[in-house]
Amino acid sequence: DLSSWRGRIAAVNTSTMTLANTFYTVWNQGQAPGSVSAPLSGGGVWGWGGVSVDPGGNVWAAAGNVDMRTGPSGPQPPFIQHTGNEFDAFGEHVLELTPNFANVLQSNYPGFTFDGAQSVDLDISGTPVLGQPLGCHEMAAVQGKSGFLYLYDTTSIGSGPANRYKFTTSSFNDPNLGNPAFSPLTGMYYAAVASGVSGGVTPAPGMIAIQSCNSASSIAWSSAFGPDSMVSGSPRSMPTVTAGGVVFVGSPCKLDSVGGCNGTGLFGGALWALDANTGALLNNGKPIITTPKDIRMGAVVDGQWIFVLDNFGALYGLTIDPNVKTIPNGFAQIR
């Protein structure tokens, strides 16, 4: 956030390893709502997975806010256009670009709503996740620091979100920095609910599965578990959905003496396993792995192993292979 900086997407030719094209989200973009054409700072593209590419080769991305900072981050240089809107140009927009970045095919600013919490620096921090729930067109799901998950019909992005789900209050901090996941086997989106909040998804905190684009029946199941991210200051991780019908997701955790997260110490992390079809917690309702620091990234599943990285940089592996020697708390730790 040190002005000036330019949010961008780069296309690399993998045959020649050369830069093929670059798209800048707010730098010299004369677009609505402010039609600002002078250089703007900001508009970072920093979702966990970067960008998505649909079957036709079009690129889907989501941008952060226009940077209006002065003070601790330093004033903006004189050549930067000052603006009163963090969503000018393509700041805080969902974007569909042609494969060569020559044209923006569709874009939308979801129109953040505020509830007394922090109302600046509300990046759309997630990567658009493309999927097709039963009975729907292909959808794109994104979330960010506004506290919402937005579900778009990919044929009409400009019309705004087809549905939205409130996961926490608006905050420039960490509670809603995850990313949803989609399973073509179940036809459902999966998203971690960061916090119990007025007007939000209940029960919470926990996780929901979204089964359709119909607002009346869109939530297939909802499961509550783990501490509130607004209290801990740590986000829930992006979900990992396996072909075996299990969803893995990380949450904050104050470990207790029975392997749960109801302790009184410092917040660490926990990895939970849920039935992808019902939302039932596996492992007798307790985490399958606990870590000294929070878990922000999704778990990786490879054959008989599950790997997860905590925010101290320690890598943990859980396996059903009986030949692997475990450390005292029952899983293998690799540093």
Side-chain angles (χ1 to χ4, degrees):
D1 285 349
L2 296 176
S3 295
S4 63
W5 55 281
R6 300 182 288 180
R8 66 177 182 170
I9 308 167
V12 176
N13 185 318
T14 57
S15 298
T16 62
M17 294 305 294
T18 56
L19 187 64
N21 207 349
T22 303
F23 175 83
Y24 293 98
T25 58
V26 303
W27 191 266
N28 290 338
Q29 291 282 6
Q31 303 293 331
S35 296
V36 178
S37 59
L40 294 177
S41 176
V45 180
W46 55 278
W48 291 114
V51 300
S52 296
V53 179
D54 67 22
N58 292 336
V59 177
W60 291 79
N65 60 285
V66 172
D67 180 20
M68 300 187 296
R69 288 179 179 268
T70 57
S73 297
Q76 292 180 345
F79 60 88
I80 298 296
Q81 172 72 36
H82 290 266
T83 173
N85 295 316
E86 292 193 340
F87 52 87
D88 272 327
F90 291 119
E92 297 180 345
H93 277 59
V94 179
L95 302 166
E96 181 188 11
L97 310 172
T98 53
N100 62 0
F101 300 164
N103 294 294
V104 177
L105 298 175
Q106 298 185 84
S107 69
N108 181 254
Y109 164 63
F112 298 147
T113 56
F114 309 118
D115 46 13
Q118 181 69 39
S119 59
V120 298
D121 193 18
L122 296 184
D123 307 71
I124 303 178
S125 53
T127 301
V129 177
L130 303 177
Q132 190 165 3
L134 296 176
C136 303
H137 292 113
E138 187 177 52
M139 309 297 286
V142 296
Q143 68 184 80
K145 293 187 286 185
S146 66
F148 284 84
L149 180 141
Y150 304 97
L151 192 62
Y152 285 89
D153 184 328
T154 58
T155 65
S156 56
I157 293 295
S159 300
N163 213 339
R164 63 185 72 204
Y165 305 85
K166 187 176 183 180
F167 289 164
T168 186
T169 55
S170 306
S171 172
F172 61 77
N173 291 319
D174 290 351
N176 208 44
L177 290 189
N179 219 62
F182 180 77
S183 169
L185 295 178
T186 64
M188 291 191 280
Y189 278 101
Y190 300 90
V193 181
S195 176
V197 61
S198 176
V201 173
T202 56
M207 169 168 272
I208 63 170
I210 301 169
Q211 67 181 349
S212 76
C213 43
N214 184 316
S215 59
S217 61
S218 61
I219 297 181
W221 53 255
S222 131
S223 182
F225 56 91
D228 192 303
S229 288
M230 283 297 290
V231 175
S232 70
S234 300
R236 292 183 173 233
S237 78
M238 55 189 293
T240 299
V241 191
T242 71
V246 179
V247 182
F248 298 101
V249 66
S251 84
C253 181
K254 288 187 176 182
L255 184 64
D256 59 33
S257 61
V258 293
C261 292
N262 298 310
T264 58
L266 299 175
F267 278 106
L271 186 71
W272 306 78
L274 294 86
D275 185 300
N277 290 295
T278 68
L281 285 169
L282 306 179
N283 195 39
N284 297 315
K286 296 178 181 179
I288 60 171
I289 293 177
T290 56
T291 58
K293 195 64 174 174
D294 55 303
I295 298 170
R296 295 171 178 247
M297 298 184 68
V300 174
V301 180
D302 177 21
Q304 299 185 85
W305 282 87
I306 302 164
F307 297 102
V308 68
L309 188 73
D310 78 356
N311 212 28
F312 274 149
L315 178 67
Y316 298 83
L318 179 68
T319 183
I320 58 174
D321 186 343
N323 297 315
V324 175
K325 184 179 179 181
T326 63
I327 59 178
N329 53 357
F331 52 88
Q333 182 183 34
I334 307 101
R335 287 190 179 273

